[in-house]
Amino acid sequence: MRMLALDSVNDMILLAEVAETGSFTRAGGRIGMPKSTVSQRIAQLEARLGLRLLNRSTRHVSLTGSGQVYLEYCRRVRTEVSAANMAMTNLKEQPVGTLKVTCPEVTASYFMPTFLHGFTTQFPRIAVELIATNRHLDIIRERVDFAFRVGTTTGQDLIVRRVSSIKRVLVAAPAYLAAGSPLREPTDLLHHRCLVHDAQPEWVFSSDDTPIVLRPPPAATSDSMGFLLQSCIAGGGVALLPAYVCQPSVAVGRLVELLPRWEIPPYEMMLIFPNLKNQSKAQAAFRDYVNTFDFSAFVVGR
């Protein structure tokens, strides 16, 4: 279908005004346009269509038969344009619409349900489309409003804000520990089965400001924290996991926290969004919600 040019749309709206007022002067007064410009624009519209739409006299303007047919379409266009403008006004003036948000799959499973429930309860006219993926989507190309990502991220036309530190803990199942060799120092990990996230091949421990950097031998490697957690619970080995993910299992004894005297550097959760002007009220509401949200679960792990 051939799309209408913007000038044609404007002229159709103008014709509807002329038809309803019966005057170039009164139509121009409604929309703030001189009579001469109104007359010229309607003449140009007639030339493009190859049809006369108006009968003109010194005192009155009336529709021709063709004009009567065309007027119905003009009114529809005017209604649709008015509705579109109202929708855009609503997006700017109140939190309404759909937001597209992406985050890692583990964040989607263990954090986002509570976070988004609070947001949509506060802003019931905003819908959220959540994309749970460990891939770093091109948020500009894929029209993503907000991305939660771990670690530093930069990019042209992107705003990056730190959300929270995320505590990490070393854990294993009691059955695995009972059958394995002692684990008292980080270097003992070299003799254990380790479950390693593919984005974190190095495990760093420090005590008295003395860091130890290890590349543990992986018994399994995955980009899924959920898989590593369940493998660890099943006795598959030792895993370095976000505390907020494994703390419930630690609390009931399914997992045991290891090397508690050693510090493990946290990683950072970042919020990333396009650097766009004239953002909607829905986008502003989401940013404000993030700014005031209590992310202590990430920091303390419960």
Side-chain angles (χ1 to χ4, degrees):
M1 180 185 294
R2 188 177 179 185
M3 296 185 66
L4 288 172
L6 181 59
D7 284 347
S8 295
V9 170
N10 291 334
D11 290 347
M12 291 176 74
I13 295 172
L14 190 58
L15 179 68
E17 297 292 338
V18 172
E20 291 175 359
T21 61
S23 165
F24 290 134
T25 301
R26 286 192 291 272
R30 274 189 178 185
I31 58 178
M33 184 179 293
K35 171 186 174 182
S36 58
T37 302
V38 175
S39 178
Q40 182 182 25
R41 293 281 293 273
I42 297 301
Q44 291 171 348
L45 175 62
E46 290 175 320
R48 287 197 300 271
L49 295 173
L51 292 167
R52 169 173 272 191
L53 303 173
L54 295 174
N55 293 312
R56 298 161 173 84
S57 69
T58 56
R59 295 185 178 181
H60 189 66
V61 176
S62 62
L63 289 167
T64 64
S66 299
Q68 288 283 1
V69 173
Y70 197 58
L71 175 62
E72 295 305 312
Y73 296 96
C74 293
R75 284 173 169 163
R76 291 178 199 170
V77 167
R78 184 177 60 182
T79 299
E80 291 299 320
V81 169
S82 178
N85 288 336
M86 181 61 70
M88 294 303 100
T89 298
N90 287 338
L91 287 175
K92 290 177 64 177
E93 295 183 354
Q94 56 183 309
V96 177
T98 299
L99 294 177
K100 197 172 184 180
V101 179
T102 183
C103 68
E105 52 88 16
V106 68
T107 307
S109 297
Y110 291 89
F111 173 72
M112 279 295 169
T114 300
F115 175 81
L116 290 179
H117 173 68
F119 176 71
T120 54
T121 298
Q122 187 172 340
F123 300 100
R125 297 187 66 187
I126 301 177
V128 177
E129 177 185 347
L130 181 67
I131 304 172
T133 177
N134 295 324
R135 295 187 300 110
H136 280 196
L137 302 180
D138 184 331
I139 67 175
I140 301 296
R141 180 177 299 175
E142 304 204 31
R143 296 183 176 87
V144 173
D145 294 290
F146 297 96
F148 289 89
R149 290 180 182 165
V150 173
T152 57
T153 304
T154 58
Q156 188 175 9
D157 295 326
L158 296 178
I159 295 176
V160 181
R161 291 184 179 172
R162 177 185 175 279
V163 170
S164 175
S165 293
I166 300 179
K167 180 182 178 181
R168 297 186 294 166
V169 295
L170 195 70
V171 291
Y176 171 83
L177 294 172
S181 60
L183 209 170
R184 300 186 182 92
E185 305 289 335
T187 52
D188 292 338
L189 287 165
L190 299 176
H191 308 291
H192 280 264
R193 294 174 58 82
C194 296
L195 308 172
V196 181
H197 194 281
D198 62 6
Q200 302 163 20
E202 291 186 344
W203 293 0
V204 180
F205 304 86
S206 63
S207 177
D208 299 327
D209 297 325
T210 303
I212 295 177
V213 181
L214 298 176
R215 276 189 170 263
T221 303
S222 176
D223 69 344
S224 169
M225 287 290 185
F227 167 79
L228 297 176
L229 170 66
Q230 295 304 321
S231 296
C232 191
I233 291 172
V238 181
L240 181 60
L241 299 172
Y244 76 96
V245 171
C246 60
Q247 192 63 44
S249 297
V250 172
V252 298
R254 300 178 74 189
L255 293 176
V256 176
E257 184 176 348
L258 307 172
L259 305 180
R261 297 181 181 177
W262 289 79
E263 292 185 9
I264 300 171
Y267 49 61
E268 303 296 326
M269 178 68 79
M270 316 300 290
L271 179 67
I272 303 163
F273 49 93
N275 184 14
L276 301 175
K277 295 181 179 179
N278 299 320
Q279 291 194 332
S280 71
K281 288 290 185 179
Q283 291 167 323
F286 192 87
R287 293 199 313 273
D288 292 342
Y289 184 77
V290 171
N291 290 339
T292 58
F293 190 81
D294 180 8
F295 286 94
S296 60
F298 280 160
V299 179
V300 301
R302 61 180 185 276

